[in-house]
Amino acid sequence: MRARRRRAQRPAWEEPPTIAGRIGKGVLLTAVVLAVLIPLWSVLVTSFSSQKAIADAGGMVFLPRDFDISAYVLIFTRGEVSQAVWNSMFVTVVGTTLSVLCTVLAAYGLSRPGSLWHRPLLMFFLITFLIGPGLVPTYVVVTSLGLKDSHWALILPAAVNAFNLMVVRQFFMGIPAELLDSARIDGAGEWTILTRIVLPLSKAVVAVVGLFYAVGYWNIYFNAVLYLNDAEDRVVQQVLQAYIIAGQSPAGIGSPPALGFNAPPSLAVKMAVVVVVLIPVVAVYPFIQRHFTKGVITGALKG
């Protein structure tokens, strides 16, 4: 009787799922996974397909046959895609490093209530949630600083994201003050406290924020269109847009046979570019995903 009364007082979301609920959840999750994996599989298979296989399938290929790597050989030997990949890697690595460094330092300073200009600086970052700088002022500032036609035009304007900063700040505020005070009593300075105590306890949130920054820099497109005019400076998203959306034919398509193989089909080359763009994110995510839920939820709720 008492157990039945306790069960009646519990909210619905605390009740154990029914058999129908578990089955429905499994079916729904399976459908979502298949909806993601099937297009990716088709893109991968098509990138390794020959002209005959693509013609027989009427476009995208689902069942692999006539394995052909000429599309990858073409995009990396012609230099356009490989140069764009290197440019994107530079922007991603340098930008992520700079952004994580600035975010961690700013978040630690703003998490200490007695720090210099604590409230004005906190309001300065918070107001960006409500008021954006606008496209024209940002463009004028970037060009006035001489950053146009430079990869720094993609890095510096996006160096600090206010949302990521607030997430890291909340996590730092959740670290017990007694732990930091005991380190100060032992003679540790702020830099020592940050590097020896705070950061080792914050690996999850820093890893997740770093992933957010890295994906943002790798996928950057609009700013690249605005600020990069030289073809040698183009990032991989610009090449992807030119091939997939604008319908531009990759260099080497339709030309006489070269490099020891026939020219690959245009669709295979386009799908190969898509695969190259996806590989870095897919390769990095498994190492970060174990920190993902813990870092985001803890950083958002602590403090």
Side-chain angles (χ1 to χ4, degrees):
M1 188 73 172
R2 196 176 294 172
R4 191 178 301 169
R5 190 178 302 162
R6 266 200 310 268
R7 200 179 304 122
Q9 293 174 349
R10 286 190 304 188
W13 56 83
E14 291 185 0
E15 294 291 338
T18 62
I19 296 177
R22 289 198 295 266
I23 294 175
K25 186 185 297 184
V27 171
L28 179 61
L29 291 176
T30 302
V32 171
V33 171
L34 291 177
V36 174
L37 291 182
I38 289 176
L40 293 179
W41 170 257
S42 181
V43 167
L44 180 63
V45 173
T46 304
S47 69
F48 285 104
S49 298
S50 64
Q51 180 64 60
K52 183 178 183 303
I54 292 175
D56 292 343
M60 300 294 292
V61 181
F62 186 76
L63 297 176
R65 62 189 183 89
D66 295 340
F67 184 80
D68 187 359
I69 64 170
S70 59
Y72 290 92
V73 175
L74 175 67
I75 63 175
F76 284 113
T77 53
R78 295 289 174 171
E80 184 179 14
V81 176
S82 57
Q83 180 64 39
V85 169
W86 282 113
N87 291 338
S88 289
M89 289 181 63
F90 171 82
V91 171
T92 301
V93 173
V94 175
T96 302
T97 303
L98 179 63
S99 294
V100 170
L101 179 62
C102 293
T103 300
V104 167
L105 294 178
Y108 179 72
L110 293 174
S111 67
R112 305 299 101 195
S115 58
L116 181 64
W117 297 344
H118 174 266
R119 287 189 177 278
L121 288 175
L122 181 59
M123 291 302 300
F124 174 79
F125 284 106
L126 288 176
I127 202 171
T128 60
F129 283 108
L130 304 175
I131 304 174
L135 176 60
V136 174
T138 303
Y139 183 84
V140 171
V141 170
V142 171
T143 53
S144 299
L145 293 175
L147 298 178
K148 193 174 181 182
D149 293 324
S150 168
H151 291 131
W152 291 104
L154 310 182
I155 297 173
L156 295 181
V160 177
N161 180 279
F163 173 78
N164 293 338
L165 176 62
M166 291 301 113
V167 169
V168 179
R169 173 181 176 270
Q170 287 300 110
F171 190 94
F172 287 170
M173 291 179 67
I175 297 176
E178 296 81 4
L179 181 62
L180 308 183
D181 291 338
S182 64
R184 292 190 182 93
I185 293 173
D186 292 337
E190 296 297 335
W191 182 256
T192 302
I193 293 174
L194 175 61
T195 56
R196 299 285 184 87
I197 298 176
V198 175
L199 285 181
L201 295 174
S202 310
K203 291 179 180 178
V205 70
V206 172
V208 171
V209 167
L211 177 64
F212 286 163
Y213 279 123
V215 172
Y217 281 118
W218 181 259
N219 290 330
I220 199 165
Y221 168 72
F222 185 69
N223 285 353
V225 173
L226 286 179
Y227 303 126
L228 301 180
N229 296 323
D230 194 343
E232 294 184 357
D233 295 330
R234 292 205 302 177
V235 294
V236 72
Q237 298 299 331
Q238 290 177 280
V239 175
L240 183 64
Q241 187 274 342
Y243 286 1
I244 304 300
I245 300 177
Q248 176 182 324
S249 295
I253 299 299
S255 60
L259 304 174
F261 60 86
N262 294 326
S266 176
L267 182 60
V269 176
K270 293 177 180 180
M271 295 303 104
V273 175
V274 174
V275 172
V276 170
V277 173
L278 290 176
I279 283 176
V281 177
V282 174
V284 171
Y285 183 77
F287 299 99
I288 305 295
Q289 62 88 21
R290 64 191 182 96
H291 299 295
F292 196 85
T293 303
K294 178 183 176 183
V296 172
I297 294 179
T298 307
L301 298 181
K302 274 196 173 183

